[in-house]
Amino acid sequence: VKIDSKILVFYFTTRCAMACCIRQRISGPLASFPLCTTERVGPHVTRSQPGGVGSRQFWNWSKPRSYSVVRPAQVSPQKTVPDTILQPEYAVTSIPTRATQPMVCSTPEDVERMRRACQLAKAVLSHGRELCKVGVSTDEIDAALHDMIVKAGAYPSPLNYRNFPKSICTSVNNVLVHGIPDSRPLENGDIVSVDVTVYLDGVHGDTCATFAVGDVDEEGQRLISAAKACMEAAIAACGVGELMNVIPVAIASELAGTGTGFYVSPTITGHGVGEFFHTPPTVYHAGPVLETMEMVEGMTFTIEPVVTTGIPPYRTLRDGWTLVSLNHCRAAQFEHTIIIKKDGAEILTA
């Protein structure tokens, strides 16, 4: 196998720089690029290892904290969607079509379809925020938002996507992303990321936000604010003719300026979105990134950085989806779907 020498130089330079940032606490863009010990085995999937998240010692790891470490609870049966509602190709097979090209809205009708789907996703997320209260389970939130999406004539995009069993993702405290709603009631002091995507009029609209449940400590509040600021800084950097690698640079600059000591996960990326749930480009939030794709007018994609309170090694649970931090540090995420315009970027889910 022939490997380009530039790729090897980039790989080893990046690894050395990340190690230097961690050991010597160097500030700057690379300081927000944590070492990650996950083993990637496919899209959104990492492989758990013996003695990891399945061990009793892992879940009982003790350290004084103001929040609970979340572990899997009971998952209720998968909900259904009426056949009268337009459904994506994976609704029955669970296998999505592999998209090879970015979604570019070439007509006003395309833009309006995206806007309608994204505005519905926004409304659903807003309702989800109202439900994030002490004592309410994430399964109850999923059921309520599922019903809201279906009543609007849309399909909840996560449902049966690569066998995902629920209609939204709910990631609480030490769960970074792709948390499966279950019977665990939300507790005072929790932070929960609610990720909503809907399929309406043949296109997907995708958004996410992290909400505080009850009285959240100061660190948790700062974490939520930092994640939102990172997303906003990245969106502000987008525009016609910009390369995709302006996004991790903008995020690193924003985070370095806060002095919080938080980090951006390099594992979780944004993606193109439109007629397919996930399309090119891959949107990296931490770098350096050798990305040559240029933003063009009408391109739609998500920006969704995950910010953590430490440098966590990550693992995916046995359900194949739930990504947790092995040292139980918390994570917050914000996401918008945007469309590139001549004068910058329009947030379709705002």
Side-chain angles (χ1 to χ4, degrees):
V1 179
K2 186 177 180 181
I3 301 177
D4 193 320
S5 60
K6 292 182 180 179
I7 296 177
L8 290 175
V9 170
F10 166 72
Y11 175 79
F12 287 109
T13 301
T14 302
R15 296 294 292 187
C16 290
M18 288 191 298
C20 184
C21 289
I22 293 168
R23 291 169 186 155
Q24 300 186 26
R25 299 180 183 276
I26 292 177
S27 61
L30 279 178
S32 63
F33 192 8
L35 289 174
C36 178
T37 60
T38 52
E39 182 181 359
R40 297 301 296 272
V41 296
H44 312 289
V45 178
T46 53
R47 178 178 289 129
S48 299
Q49 297 179 359
V53 295
S55 68
R56 179 177 299 178
Q57 188 176 29
F58 169 77
W59 293 113
N60 292 339
W61 184 75
S62 60
K63 180 182 178 182
R65 60 172 64 84
S66 58
Y67 60 93
S68 298
V69 173
V70 175
R71 60 184 302 172
Q74 184 176 355
V75 177
S76 63
Q78 183 171 308
K79 293 186 176 298
T80 59
V81 176
D83 293 337
T84 54
I85 291 177
L86 181 63
Q87 303 184 13
E89 75 284 358
Y90 55 82
V92 175
T93 66
S94 80
I95 303 172
T97 300
R98 182 180 178 84
T100 59
Q101 297 296 324
M103 172 70 176
V104 178
C105 296
S106 57
T107 67
E109 291 75 20
D110 287 341
V111 176
E112 282 307 308
R113 282 197 302 154
M114 284 297 299
R115 188 172 284 116
R116 284 194 298 270
C118 287
Q119 285 300 298
L120 175 59
K122 172 190 174 182
V124 173
L125 181 62
S126 179
H127 184 44
R129 178 175 188 169
E130 297 171 355
L131 299 174
C132 290
K133 298 178 179 179
V134 175
V136 178
S137 72
T138 51
D139 187 63
E140 291 174 306
I141 297 173
D142 174 81
L145 299 191
H146 173 94
D147 290 344
M148 181 178 178
I149 294 168
V150 170
K151 287 179 180 178
Y155 182 92
S157 301
L159 189 64
N160 208 39
Y161 180 89
R162 297 187 185 276
N163 294 310
F164 190 82
K166 290 295 180 177
S167 299
I168 62 170
C169 297
T170 52
S171 303
V172 184
N173 294 344
N174 53 297
V175 179
L176 278 73
V177 289
H178 301 154
I180 298 175
D182 59 26
S183 61
R184 177 191 179 274
L186 293 174
E187 299 177 3
N188 186 56
D190 283 347
I191 62 172
V192 53
S193 298
V194 179
D195 193 339
V196 173
T197 313
V198 302
Y199 185 67
L200 179 68
D201 296 335
V203 293
H204 299 268
D206 194 356
T207 188
C208 174
T210 301
F211 306 124
V213 180
D215 299 318
V216 173
D217 65 357
E218 183 180 349
E219 182 188 59
Q221 294 176 24
R222 288 190 290 112
L223 178 65
I224 293 173
S225 297
K228 186 176 183 180
C230 284
M231 177 196 65
E232 291 171 343
I235 293 173
C238 295
V240 173
E242 297 286 355
L243 298 182
M244 296 301 297
N245 60 12
V246 301
I247 292 172
V249 172
I251 291 174
S253 178
E254 171 65 32
L255 203 55
T258 65
T260 58
F262 297 153
Y263 296 84
V264 177
S265 168
T267 305
I268 300 125
T269 62
H271 53 87
V273 65
E275 293 179 348
F276 298 103
F277 196 171
H278 295 92
T279 77
T282 298
V283 182
Y284 293 96
H285 303 115
V289 177
L290 293 179
E291 177 58 72
T292 59
M293 182 174 287
E294 186 176 292
M295 300 179 196
V296 300
E297 187 175 359
M299 181 185 288
T300 54
F301 56 87
T302 70
I303 294 179
E304 46 185 301
V306 171
V307 179
T308 61
T309 56
I311 306 176
Y314 319 127
R315 286 292 185 274
T316 298
L317 301 186
R318 293 171 183 173
D319 58 37
W321 283 101
T322 308
L323 188 66
V324 300
S325 58
L326 290 185
N327 60 2
H328 304 318
C329 74
R330 285 179 291 184
Q333 180 183 32
F334 282 81
E335 173 186 15
H336 274 313
T337 297
I338 67 172
I339 182 170
I340 299 301
K341 307 297 270 303
K342 290 180 180 179
D343 57 349
E346 176 188 343
I347 304 174
L348 295 175
T349 44

